[in-house]
């Protein structure tokens, strides 16, 4: 069954992560057909192209709920950059006020739209695992792990260390330590007493992305636990954009008041036609 075309959508960017956002409050896609739809329209060069797709839906206890999908059609619990874009979309479409609450698979999220920036109150981090070691390309790599909405492995690198983000990221992402869900992998450089540079290999995209909001939060927390930075932490992403991570450390290992702040840009609005789902050949 094909959806009725045309389908209005908004293309948005959150510090280099790009998303297709669709108002799905009147559902037109059966759940079983959504992964294939996502794979088709997120394919660069053949359709709109994006890192992920967000469906905005009604929720009886919040301003809205979302379904978030990676570009390969897999569903993800949370995406910080996607959540900021969803919040700005919801305000623009009068679905929610400037201060809003919405439901994700990781739990409820609170957001505030501040002009072109959005500040998110993240769910409390879980599953902190320190001082892990994996073998990659014949060398031992030291990691920490934390779930900031989705699972993240964090590796602190030296300023001048060359990093094979694709190769190392893929190997760590599929490592048995993180099975069965896998983990996003963040390679983190200290840039100052409250500043980091982060490159992220994202599961579901299966490549380095220009930014990852939950990864920036994970990197900031792990770096703070290692005594490298203090909050608030400015994170410079692969694409050169900056995110601000607000939080407090509690009793040395706990985290309270985790917020992610950064820009959410509307790139364009359009309509999907049937050709968005077609493949050449």
């Amino acid at each position: 069954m094909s959806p009725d075309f045309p389908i209005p959508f908004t293309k948005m960017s959150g510090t280099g992560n790009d998303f297709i956002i669709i108002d799905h409050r009147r559902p037109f896609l059966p759940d079983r057909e959504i992964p294939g739809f996502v794979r088709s329209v997120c394919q660069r060069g053949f359709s709109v192209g994006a890192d992920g797709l967000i469906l905005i839906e009604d929720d009886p206890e919040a301003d809205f709920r979302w379904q978030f999908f990676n570009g390969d059609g897999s569903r993800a619990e949370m995406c910080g950059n996607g959540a900021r874009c969803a919040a700005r979309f919801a305000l623009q479409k009068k679905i929610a006020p400037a201060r809003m609450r919405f439901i994700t698979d990781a739990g409820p999220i609170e957001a505030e739209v501040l002009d072109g920036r959005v500040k998110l109150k993240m769910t409390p981090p879980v599953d902190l695992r320190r001082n892990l070691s994996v073998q990659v390309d014949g060398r031992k790599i030291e990691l920490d792990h934390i779930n900031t909405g989705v699972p993240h492995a964090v590796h602190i690198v030296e300023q001048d260390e060359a990093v094979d983000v694709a190769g190392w990221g893929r190997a760590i992402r599929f490592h048995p330590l993180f099975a069965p869900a896998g983990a996003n992998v963040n390679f983190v450089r200290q840039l100052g007493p409250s500043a980091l540079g982060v490159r992220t290999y994202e599961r579901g995209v299966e490549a380095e992305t220009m930014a990852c909001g939950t990864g920036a939060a994970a990197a900031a927390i792990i770096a703070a636990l290692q005594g490298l930075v203090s909050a608030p932490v400015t994170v410079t992403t692969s694409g050169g954009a900056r995110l601000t991570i607000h939080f407090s450390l509690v009793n040395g290992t706990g985290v309270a008041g985790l917020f992610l702040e950064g820009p959410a840009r509307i790139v364009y609005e359009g309509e999907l036609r049937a050709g968005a789902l077609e493949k050449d050949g």
Side-chain angles (χ1 to χ4, degrees):
M1 183 177 111
S2 296
D4 291 332
F5 293 99
I7 299 170
F9 74 94
T10 299
K11 182 73 176 289
M12 296 192 68
S13 173
T15 57
N17 260 161
D18 59 340
F19 307 97
I20 298 164
I21 305 184
I22 296 174
D23 185 344
H24 200 231
R25 289 176 296 168
R26 292 186 177 180
F28 59 86
L29 286 169
D31 285 348
R32 67 182 182 278
E33 296 181 11
I34 293 176
F37 176 87
V38 171
R39 286 192 295 272
S40 293
V41 299
C42 287
Q43 189 174 19
R44 300 187 191 277
F46 292 91
S47 192
V48 177
D51 291 329
L53 184 143
I54 299 167
L55 298 176
I56 303 295
E57 300 178 342
D58 282 326
D59 188 273
E61 298 179 356
D63 292 300
F64 63 93
R65 72 166 44 244
W66 80 356
Q67 293 194 66
F68 180 88
F69 297 88
N70 294 310
D72 66 355
S74 62
R75 186 156 170 160
E77 305 93 325
M78 176 56 183
C79 172
N81 289 330
R84 288 186 296 101
C85 289
R88 187 171 181 196
F89 174 91
L91 176 64
Q92 185 205 33
K93 300 298 182 182
K94 297 181 171 55
I95 297 169
R99 290 188 176 184
M100 66 189 75
R101 179 176 177 272
F102 61 98
I103 305 301
T104 73
D105 288 357
I109 297 291
E110 296 177 12
E112 182 179 9
V113 181
L114 309 160
D115 295 323
R117 297 179 67 82
V118 179
K119 187 174 183 178
L120 291 181
K121 183 177 183 181
M122 308 281 282
T123 54
V126 297
D127 196 17
L128 174 64
R129 288 182 268 161
R130 305 290 308 278
N131 305 316
L132 306 174
S133 295
V134 299
Q135 290 286 332
V136 177
D137 287 342
R139 65 180 289 175
K140 186 167 78 169
I141 296 179
E142 303 293 332
L143 302 168
D144 291 296
H145 176 277
I146 192 168
N147 188 316
T148 51
V150 294
H152 283 276
V154 177
H155 173 55
I156 306 295
V157 302
E158 297 296 331
Q159 296 282 5
D160 58 353
E161 184 176 1
V163 177
D164 179 4
V165 174
W168 291 8
R170 189 176 302 109
I172 296 168
R173 176 259 193 271
F174 288 105
H175 195 277
L177 272 175
F178 309 117
N184 293 350
V185 186
N186 304 274
F187 300 93
V188 182
R189 303 185 325 279
Q190 183 184 16
L191 301 180
S194 294
L196 300 171
V198 179
R199 298 177 66 185
T200 302
Y201 181 96
E202 284 202 55
R203 60 177 192 163
V205 180
E206 305 308 337
E208 181 179 2
T209 55
M210 291 293 98
C212 176
T214 56
I221 292 167
I222 295 300
L225 289 171
Q226 293 191 18
L228 299 175
V229 294
S230 57
V233 179
T234 299
V235 174
T236 301
T237 67
S238 297
R242 292 180 179 176
L243 293 164
T244 303
I245 315 300
H246 308 265
F247 62 95
S248 299
L249 295 183
V250 181
N251 298 326
T253 58
V255 178
L258 178 60
F259 290 85
L260 168 67
E261 182 180 354
R265 294 191 297 111
I266 297 169
V267 180
Y268 61 85
E269 295 186 328
E271 293 181 337
L272 293 172
R273 307 280 174 163
L277 305 184
E278 294 174 359
K279 293 185 178 179
D280 295 342

